[in-house]
Amino acid sequence: APDGGSSSFSSGRSGDGGDALRPLYMDVQATTPLDPRVLDSMLPYLTAYYGNPHSRTHAYGWESEAAMEKARRQVADLVGADSREIIFTSGATESNNMAIKGVARFYKSRKKHIITTQTEHKCVLDSCRSLETEGFRVTYLPVKKNGLIDMKELEAAFQPDTSLVSVMTVNNEIGVKQPIHDIGEICRAHKVFFHTDAAQAIGKIPMDVNDMKIDLMSISGHKIYGPKGVGAIYVRRRPRVRLEPLQSGGGQERGLRSGTVPTPLAVGLGEACEVAQQELEYDHKRISQLAERLVTKIMSEVPDVVMNGDREHRYPGCINLSFAYVEGESLLMALKDVALSSGSACTSASLEPSYVLRAIGTDEDLAHSSIRFGIGRFTTEEEVDYTVQKCIQHVKRLREMSPLWEMVQDGIDLKSIKWTQH
């Protein structure tokens, strides 16, 4: 296997102290490695500058506060916001909970209806489910075959007491990019707040909260080569969005999120946002080329591969492929020297496939054969080629072992077979 380029963190195939080689890392939708520039910015605040940023009476507090406010500006600059609109959180899950429950509960005396989509992240869907137990009504919009929502269906879903629309920018499983600008326009016309979970989009595609008419936005540190355990929520000041806080305490972060802000993590998030802004164009171009290389090579060598999600409206670094007549889990096991995830939660054939793939109408058997490839800032061409070569080799091998594949080769239409239940 090729060595993952010169940078040791690019793949982790360096082997730790004589351990077996670690797999190539192709799962950047799950998390990203820390950019060394981010680590450099954090180190002083983990050692010398350890003051509480809310301590107002001495230099330790002031220097931490200054670092925290600089980080707030860096996050705001990446999304075109005012730094006063950025609230630090523990990550996108907390931000999503704050946005959805916070807005719903604040306006509950007049407004009891929320609109979201069936392909949101689980923390958005679960927040909506918990609001339903409090008497709110939620419309879960379906998506089309390509993973995009139907704008006419969104338009029709508004009710006189709708308080919030929540639609994620880039889907974490299939990489589909929703028409955020158009959704923002419709929400503004209806005077309804618009929240987007932008964890997979921030720092990867250009985002501007004013241009896109976004009122609340969730941001995660560890999806943009920053530290784990930190994120942010953007909360618009004009027209002002009011939230009921989830957490009570000392009233930090404009009273919306009490608790001491962890300065080193905030500094890391800020630096990650600044680096992302500098690298945005270059990263996007490079990742697009690598993604194109991966898809083209696999599809030219292996028949019956389906790309899930729209081919045009997407973030290129998230590629979800279904390999017909192959069990996704078997393929993942075979590709043990590449860290990937199955787009479906099929640890066994009896478990449900991914709800995102079900929502786009993927056949059960295809949903069980899907793999998500994540390409990021530190992925090398050699890593892509190695993954492609292994993937092709194992798909062919697994298909040769499959009686279904044999039948398809003999021209039998599997859909026409009446399987008997024993």
Side-chain angles (χ1 to χ4, degrees):
D3 172 58
S6 56
S7 45
S8 61
F9 52 80
S10 71
S11 71
R13 284 190 71 80
S14 49
D16 294 336
D19 293 349
L21 283 178
R22 294 168 73 206
L24 294 183
Y25 191 71
M26 297 283 281
D27 197 17
V28 295
Q29 273 70 44
T31 195
T32 55
L34 193 68
D35 191 299
R37 291 166 284 192
V38 173
L39 180 62
D40 288 346
S41 73
M42 290 171 66
L43 279 171
Y45 297 93
L46 287 161
T47 52
Y49 303 106
Y50 49 79
N52 183 324
H54 314 292
S55 296
R56 290 285 159 81
T57 55
H58 50 68
Y60 289 86
W62 304 331
E63 62 202 9
S64 289
E65 185 186 25
M68 175 181 80
E69 292 309 327
K70 178 190 174 192
R72 206 187 296 281
R73 282 195 302 279
Q74 289 169 312
V75 177
D77 288 348
L78 180 59
V79 299
D82 178 319
S83 62
R84 292 170 298 179
E85 298 173 308
I86 301 296
I87 305 294
F88 289 115
T89 67
S90 63
T93 291
E94 185 186 350
S95 300
N96 285 335
N97 273 267
M98 276 174 75
I100 292 162
K101 294 173 180 168
V103 167
R105 289 171 182 160
F106 190 91
Y107 296 97
K108 67 172 182 270
S109 61
R110 303 196 309 278
K111 301 185 168 184
K112 301 285 276 191
H113 179 242
I114 294 159
I115 300 171
T116 187
T117 79
Q118 293 176 2
T119 52
E120 294 299 304
H121 191 278
K122 202 167 176 340
C123 63
V124 167
L125 296 175
D126 281 2
S127 293
C128 289
R129 297 254 189 284
S130 88
L131 287 174
E132 285 181 299
T133 66
E134 296 174 27
F136 291 89
R137 303 184 318 286
V138 182
T139 300
Y140 299 94
L141 293 174
V143 292
K144 297 181 284 193
K145 279 287 283 176
N146 61 2
L148 294 168
I149 63 168
D150 184 327
M151 297 304 283
K152 289 193 184 66
E153 288 189 3
L154 171 62
E155 186 74 69
F158 283 95
Q159 295 176 15
D161 67 340
T162 305
S163 62
L164 184 74
V165 170
S166 180
V167 179
M168 84 197 313
T169 307
V170 169
N171 186 274
N172 54 314
E173 281 194 39
I174 54 177
V176 165
K177 192 165 80 193
Q178 298 291 353
I180 295 300
H181 189 279
D182 301 347
I183 298 169
E185 293 279 353
I186 289 184
C187 291
R188 189 61 61 85
H190 283 272
K191 293 190 165 56
V192 167
F193 291 130
F194 173 36
H195 165 252
T196 187
D197 171 2
Q200 297 286 353
I202 291 289
K204 299 184 175 84
I205 58 172
M207 297 287 292
D208 186 301
V209 290
N210 294 312
D211 178 49
M212 295 172 160
K213 300 194 168 36
I214 294 165
D215 298 305
L216 300 118
M217 177 160 68
S218 302
I219 298 170
S220 169
H222 74 106
K223 308 289 189 197
I224 55 168
Y225 312 93
K228 292 167 180 61
V230 69
I233 181 172
Y234 157 78
V235 182
R236 180 176 288 285
R237 285 170 69 89
R238 291 195 183 84
R240 189 173 176 201
V241 184
R242 308 291 297 275
L243 301 179
E244 189 176 291
L246 297 184
Q247 199 158 296
S248 314
Q252 293 92 339
E253 297 300 278
R254 301 220 324 267
L256 293 179
R257 207 277 186 184
S258 289
T260 302
V261 172
T263 311
L265 296 182
V267 166
L269 175 62
E271 185 69 17
C273 285
E274 185 162 311
V275 170
Q277 198 167 10
Q278 293 161 3
E279 306 280 1
L280 192 80
E281 244 172 273
Y282 176 79
D283 276 353
H284 197 279
K285 193 170 150 204
R286 197 175 150 276
I287 288 167
S288 301
Q289 287 165 349
L290 290 177
E292 186 61 33
R293 186 182 181 99
L294 181 129
V295 174
T296 308
K297 285 191 167 190
I298 288 179
M299 291 204 166
S300 64
E301 289 279 333
V302 182
D304 297 306
V305 178
V306 178
M307 187 165 177
N308 296 307
D310 195 275
R311 292 298 288 261
E312 297 302 306
H313 303 278
R314 67 180 308 107
Y315 168 64
C318 180
I319 303 152
N320 191 306
L321 301 178
S322 290
F323 298 89
Y325 321 112
V326 172
E327 181 60 63
E329 285 302 306
S330 318
L331 185 52
L332 276 183
M333 299 290 278
L335 292 166
K336 59 182 178 295
D337 49 357
V338 183
L340 294 159
S341 76
S342 64
S344 59
C346 51
T347 36
S348 79
S350 65
L351 281 183
E352 290 290 291
S354 146
Y355 64 86
V356 172
L357 295 180
R358 274 219 312 274
I360 62 173
T362 307
D363 282 350
E364 186 94 3
D365 49 346
L366 266 183
H368 276 304
S369 70
S370 75
I371 301 278
R372 182 182 68 185
F373 300 85
I375 295 175
R377 181 179 294 163
F378 302 122
T379 309
T380 63
E381 206 168 85
E382 294 81 14
E383 289 174 329
V384 168
D385 290 349
Y386 181 79
T387 303
V388 165
Q389 169 218 327
K390 285 288 183 194
C391 196
I392 293 166
Q393 175 193 333
H394 289 301
V395 168
K396 287 180 172 170
R397 182 181 61 82
L398 288 166
R399 279 180 177 172
E400 273 159 23
M401 294 158 59
S402 161
L404 295 179
W405 177 246
E406 209 172 299
M407 292 160 82
V408 170
Q409 299 311 294
D410 293 341
I412 299 168
D413 177 11
L414 297 184
K415 292 226 182 334
S416 68
I417 298 172
K418 300 274 183 284
W419 302 99
T420 56
Q421 293 288 324
H422 290 296

